[in-house]
Amino acid sequence: MKTLKDLNIDNKKVIIRCDLNVPIEDNKILDNTRIIKSLKTINYALERASKVIIMSHLGRIKTPEDKAKNSLKIVASELSKELNKDVYFCTWEEDINKAIEDNKIVLLENTRFFDLDNKKESNCDLELSKYFASFGDVFINDAFGTAHRENASNVGISKFLDSCNGFLIEEEVNNLKKLDNPERPFTVIMGGKKVSDKIKLIDSLITKVDYLLIGGAMVYTFLKAEGKEIGKSFLEEDYIEYCKKLLNDYKDKIFLIDDNYVELDECISINDMTSDSVGFDIGIESVNKFNKIINKSKTIFFNGSLGYVEGGYTYGTKNILEALNKDKKTVVIGGGDTVSACNELLKDNNFVISTGGGASLEYLQGNKLPGIFEE
Ligand code: 3PG
Ligand code: MG
């Protein structure tokens, strides 16, 4: 990876692409983690560069009406507060070069506003990339959460300027690398709704893991493959054969649930499921069984909720998170929804939490991320 030690930014106009795509509701930032995580590179640049120009996307822009609620203006105020310095917020209609001349730090408006013009940002349009590049002398991509996307503002622009990755991307990649060569036993806990969404991830991890613990709605397709009655629980018929083969090939590694919650206050054995039962969360015995494996593991990757958390079925996910937090082990939490569940259910934790849901999963599936620049 090309990092900041490979790029001279002294007295230059430095463009930094951050991922400041933070959750916003009623004009309030709900979680500023991505802003905080971006500060290290910005501060480094502020000490050396003549100008710092920051870019980011926010949300998705499909119609002109999407612009109002996806302006980076309130992010500029938050960033200014965290940096304890003035941050000039600049719209695309203003004289941008003058704004850069007059200010040390400029945050440009949402890059995805250009998606209204033939998806130019998201499709990595070359002219737009060149336009973005015209504002600076060098480019730092530090937007890990967007590293799996090839957009004009994170990848296209690097074709026109000397470029490297920032500290956040470097740190994120180093964290994920811990899973390439893990301290053992290495356990993956996987939940979420669909087996079909996870096949690439399972296939790339199964040979590396010592244990794979499966919960969430996806476990019912595995249970069905084992010949169990799953009632009206969520099932993907087309994936039963895949699950059968996996269970057969890796029978010593894969652990499924023994009981489940069919109501918020009713936990029953899988053997007692009837043709009408619907499973919503892993049960008490299953949590105990998973905990035994967790306790002897040294490295754990957790992806996907173990129950229907939005519906109040938090028992399994919460208890497993608590077990993971108990003693010293490397715990990596991956995937946007898992990170939100974790922040909601166990905010005070020692986990390695990625700022990039999709990006971290793509990386773990062995895919090359276009936003990570090779040397
Ligand atoms: C994210 O939050 O997943 C990243 O910021 C990328 O956003 P996107 O999924 O809208 O491309
Ligand atoms: Mg996303």
Side-chain angles (χ1 to χ4, degrees):
M1 189 194 311
K2 254 187 104 182
T3 62
L4 279 160
K5 63 178 182 332
D6 306 309
L7 187 73
N8 180 6
I9 65 166
D10 292 351
N11 304 314
K12 299 205 167 136
K13 285 195 278 181
V14 178
I15 302 175
I16 310 177
R17 172 56 157 101
C18 297
D19 188 329
L20 305 176
N21 183 26
V22 291
I24 296 173
E25 227 175 77
D26 299 330
N27 219 25
K28 274 204 188 68
I29 295 172
L30 300 181
D31 177 358
N32 69 358
T33 308
R34 282 179 165 178
I35 296 174
I36 303 287
K37 294 272 193 176
S38 301
L39 298 176
K40 188 171 172 190
T41 299
I42 297 173
N43 276 318
Y44 174 91
L46 280 171
E47 280 167 24
R48 293 163 177 82
S50 64
K51 303 285 178 184
V52 174
I53 302 110
I54 302 168
M55 295 201 296
S56 176
H57 74 285
L58 180 68
R60 295 189 180 165
I61 307 294
K62 295 193 176 122
T63 65
E65 292 72 50
D66 291 336
K67 285 166 83 174
K69 61 175 187 295
N70 287 297
S71 169
L72 280 168
K73 190 162 196 247
I74 72 163
V75 172
S77 316
E78 180 74 8
L79 185 60
S80 164
K81 196 175 97 203
E82 292 299 336
L83 286 169
N84 204 10
K85 290 192 171 67
D86 289 337
V87 173
Y88 184 81
F89 172 70
C90 190
T91 66
W92 295 115
E93 289 72 37
E94 280 173 59
D95 182 342
I96 296 173
N97 287 311
K98 179 160 179 354
I100 293 169
E101 208 175 286
D102 294 347
N103 298 277
K104 172 92 181 185
I105 317 170
V106 171
L107 172 64
L108 296 174
E109 179 58 289
N110 188 349
T111 53
R112 282 193 182 162
F113 281 16
F114 290 93
D115 275 350
L116 290 177
D117 181 10
N118 284 319
K119 300 200 94 211
K120 283 193 167 147
E121 158 71 335
S122 292
N123 288 340
C124 200
D125 178 81
L126 210 62
E127 279 308 309
L128 180 63
S129 307
K130 197 170 165 183
Y131 173 66
F132 287 155
S134 73
F135 300 123
D137 304 318
V138 288
F139 175 62
I140 303 170
N141 182 26
D142 208 21
F144 180 71
T146 322
H148 57 316
R149 310 241 184 257
E150 192 167 336
N151 294 347
S153 66
N154 69 331
V155 175
I157 183 172
S158 73
K159 299 190 176 115
F160 300 95
L161 296 174
D162 264 350
S163 306
C164 74
N165 288 121
F167 293 123
L168 177 59
I169 288 197
E170 208 182 337
E171 182 192 312
E172 293 268 14
V173 169
N174 285 337
N175 283 335
L176 293 172
K177 275 193 183 147
K178 289 183 189 155
L179 301 183
D180 284 342
N181 200 357
E183 206 187 334
R184 292 184 181 276
F186 172 36
T187 297
V188 170
I189 308 168
M190 203 173 274
K193 191 164 182 190
K194 297 180 178 172
V195 178
S196 53
D197 284 345
K198 308 277 173 162
I199 286 188
K200 273 180 79 182
L201 191 61
I202 296 174
D203 287 347
S204 84
L205 289 171
I206 191 71
T207 52
K208 295 184 199 154
V209 303
D210 298 297
Y211 306 106
L212 173 62
L213 317 181
I214 302 176
M218 66 182 275
V219 76
Y220 294 97
T221 303
F222 281 91
L223 290 167
K224 183 84 178 175
E226 270 195 339
K228 302 274 195 224
E229 172 66 73
I230 62 161
K232 294 194 167 62
S233 307
F234 183 77
L235 172 69
E236 284 178 292
E237 292 270 5
D238 294 349
Y239 292 86
I240 297 174
E241 281 312 312
Y242 169 82
C243 294
K244 248 186 211 163
K245 181 161 171 22
L246 206 68
L247 287 166
N248 191 49
D249 292 352
Y250 300 98
K251 46 175 140 342
D252 300 334
K253 287 187 175 189
I254 300 179
F255 292 81
L256 307 180
I257 62 174
D258 298 329
D259 60 349
N260 63 172
Y261 278 90
V262 290
E263 297 282 348
L264 276 172
D265 55 359
E266 191 185 354
C267 176
I268 65 170
S269 163
I270 296 300
N271 295 329
D272 295 335
M273 294 284 276
T274 67
S275 57
D276 282 330
S277 310
V278 186
F280 291 112
D281 195 3
I282 70 172
I284 300 165
E285 289 307 319
S286 310
V287 165
N288 291 341
K289 168 167 143 180
F290 285 5
N291 277 353
K292 280 196 191 113
I293 298 169
I294 288 169
N295 288 339
K296 64 179 173 191
S297 303
K298 288 275 191 296
T299 309
I300 293 161
F301 174 61
F302 184 16
N303 166 251
S305 299
L306 298 174
Y308 175 42
V309 170
E310 312 87 89
Y313 288 85
T314 56
Y315 173 84
T317 309
K318 189 168 176 4
N319 278 280
I320 293 298
L321 284 169
E322 279 166 5
L324 291 174
N325 204 31
K326 249 186 219 145
D327 41 34
K328 242 180 103 51
K329 30 181 160 270
T330 302
V331 177
V332 180
I333 308 281
D337 297 340
T338 323
V339 171
S340 323
C342 179
N343 283 336
E344 200 182 306
L345 299 173
L346 192 71
K347 214 167 173 37
D348 209 7
N349 63 65
N350 304 314
F351 306 150
V352 175
I353 295 188
S354 175
T355 57
S360 61
L361 298 184
E362 292 272 344
Y363 181 91
L364 291 173
Q365 284 165 30
N367 294 339
K368 214 172 123 355
L369 306 188
I372 295 180
F373 303 146
E374 304 289 338
E375 257 162 283

